[in-house]
Amino acid sequence: METKHRYIGVLMLTLTPQILSELKLRDPRFPNVSHGVLIHKVITGSPAYLAGVRPGDIVVEINGRVVKTAEDVYQAVHRENSLTVVVRRGSEELMINIVPEVQE
């Protein structure tokens, strides 16, 4: 069986409790979240970029499922044809729709 590679075009960091407390110390304005995945980089022209995802966004939910690790994001990308992603950006919570690109 041939597996097609799906891709949204982001580099991510799982926010562990330790990383979260360090980020909050460094930046008092860091969003008040207890879990999530920090978007570190967005590839220009990628599905995430075109959907409006920005570096610094924190993914907290995809298609109604809580996101705690980068692995959760990878699994959703590979499982779903369309992603409704809830991100925290500063004090705002935004809903972004991303359609993963399928690469042969």
Side-chain angles (χ1 to χ4, degrees):
M1 192 172 105
E2 185 188 345
T3 50
K4 290 185 169 28
H5 183 67
R6 289 171 190 254
Y7 140 102
I8 59 170
V10 294
L11 298 178
M12 303 173 282
L13 174 70
T14 297
L15 293 173
T16 62
Q18 188 182 352
I19 291 172
L20 270 170
S21 59
E22 276 179 40
L23 289 170
K24 285 176 186 174
L25 274 176
R26 248 188 281 166
D27 181 1
R29 293 166 315 174
F30 191 81
N32 186 22
V33 293
S34 57
H35 65 85
V37 174
L38 179 69
I39 300 298
H40 174 62
K41 188 176 179 192
V42 182
I43 310 299
T44 305
S46 68
Y49 176 88
L50 298 172
V53 177
R54 293 192 197 144
D57 284 353
I58 299 167
V59 178
V60 291
E61 195 181 283
I62 296 178
N63 292 357
R65 291 175 190 212
V66 171
V67 169
K68 294 200 184 224
T69 66
E71 186 57 33
D72 294 341
V73 178
Y74 286 122
Q75 285 182 2
V77 168
H78 290 284
R79 197 177 47 232
E80 312 283 349
N81 291 322
S82 168
L83 306 174
T84 300
V85 181
V86 177
V87 301
R88 285 293 297 268
R89 179 180 296 164
S91 60
E92 294 182 295
E93 200 164 80
L94 305 171
M95 200 173 263
I96 300 176
N97 292 306
I98 306 172
V99 177
E101 200 173 279
V102 177
Q103 299 177 319
E104 298 292 327

